[in-house]
């Protein structure tokens, strides 16, 4: 028997290891596509399995869904990525990942001092308030973003 050319949402979930609700979410975000049968049931092309696999791998290394969507939309006619496409996509993400890795190393290396301070030394914290930058912004709660 020849494999089905189209898959139900349940079949995609089973084959990909992704919950049906996640597939619906991916679809609302434009990451994957389906069409509806006459009975209003979703049907997916078999190529959706590769897209879902790429989405999962990218998420696992810290790529946001919006970055994934942008990358997938850059493909001609929204096609499923080929090996060459994957090489281009992953290369484009590499710089961002390198930056995140550097930030995590900095966080890791500063944690021992942080644990000792207990977040009571706001003027000395190298992670949240290096050189007391927040004091220049006045009193009250502040969230320090990486600068």
């Amino acid at each position: 028997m020849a494999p089905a050319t189209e898959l139900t949402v349940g079949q995609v979930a089973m084959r990909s290891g992704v919950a049906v609700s996640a597939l619906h979410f991916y679809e609302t975000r434009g990451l994957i596509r389906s069409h509806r049968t006459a009975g209003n049931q979703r049907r997916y092309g078999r190529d959706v399995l590769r897209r879902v696999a790429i989405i999962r791998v990218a998420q696992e290394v810290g790529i946001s869904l919006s970055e994934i969507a942008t990358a997938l939309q850059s493909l001609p006619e929204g096609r499923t990525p080929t090996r060459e496409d994957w090489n281009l996509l992953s290369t484009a993400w590499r710089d961002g990942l390198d930056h995140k890795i550097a930030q995590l190393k900095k966080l890791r290396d500063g944690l021992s001092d942080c644990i000792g301070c207990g977040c009571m030394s706001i003027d000395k914290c190298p992670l949240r308030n290096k050189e007391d930058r927040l004091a220049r912004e006045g009193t009250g709660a502040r969230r320090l973003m990486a600068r």
Side-chain angles (χ1 to χ4, degrees):
M1 177 162 70
T5 58
E6 294 185 330
L7 302 170
T8 66
V9 68
Q11 290 169 322
V12 174
M14 185 178 68
R15 296 271 313 270
S16 67
V18 173
V20 169
S21 58
L23 295 171
H24 292 170
F25 180 73
Y26 292 164
E27 193 168 350
T28 62
R29 298 289 302 263
L31 297 165
I32 61 175
R33 288 190 301 250
S34 71
H35 71 277
R36 299 289 183 143
T37 66
N40 202 30
Q41 296 173 328
R42 285 182 169 91
R43 292 293 186 264
Y44 296 90
R46 296 180 64 77
D47 62 335
V48 78
L49 293 171
R50 182 178 294 167
R51 275 186 167 252
V52 171
I54 287 171
I55 293 164
R56 295 295 306 260
V57 167
Q59 282 186 294
E60 285 180 25
V61 298
I63 307 296
S64 70
L65 283 178
S66 63
E67 290 173 290
I68 297 167
T70 299
L72 292 175
Q73 289 167 1
S74 74
L75 299 175
E77 300 175 18
R79 74 170 182 238
T80 295
T82 62
R83 185 177 304 270
E84 294 79 24
D85 292 331
W86 174 247
N87 187 39
L88 290 172
L89 295 177
S90 63
T91 299
W93 289 328
R94 193 167 286 127
D95 287 341
L97 290 172
D98 286 342
H99 179 71
K100 287 178 186 179
I101 290 167
Q103 285 179 314
L104 286 170
K105 285 181 179 179
K106 184 177 177 181
L107 176 63
R108 177 202 62 205
D109 294 344
L111 275 179
S112 60
D113 290 338
C114 183
I115 291 168
C117 122
C119 290
M120 302 307 280
S121 302
I122 298 301
D123 61 329
K124 296 178 183 167
C125 181
L127 298 174
R128 297 296 295 162
N129 191 20
K130 187 176 182 177
E131 299 170 5
D132 200 17
R133 289 182 290 209
L134 295 179
R136 292 186 294 271
E137 297 178 20
T139 61
R142 300 276 185 264
R143 182 172 178 189
L144 181 64
M145 303 304 276
R147 296 178 189 194

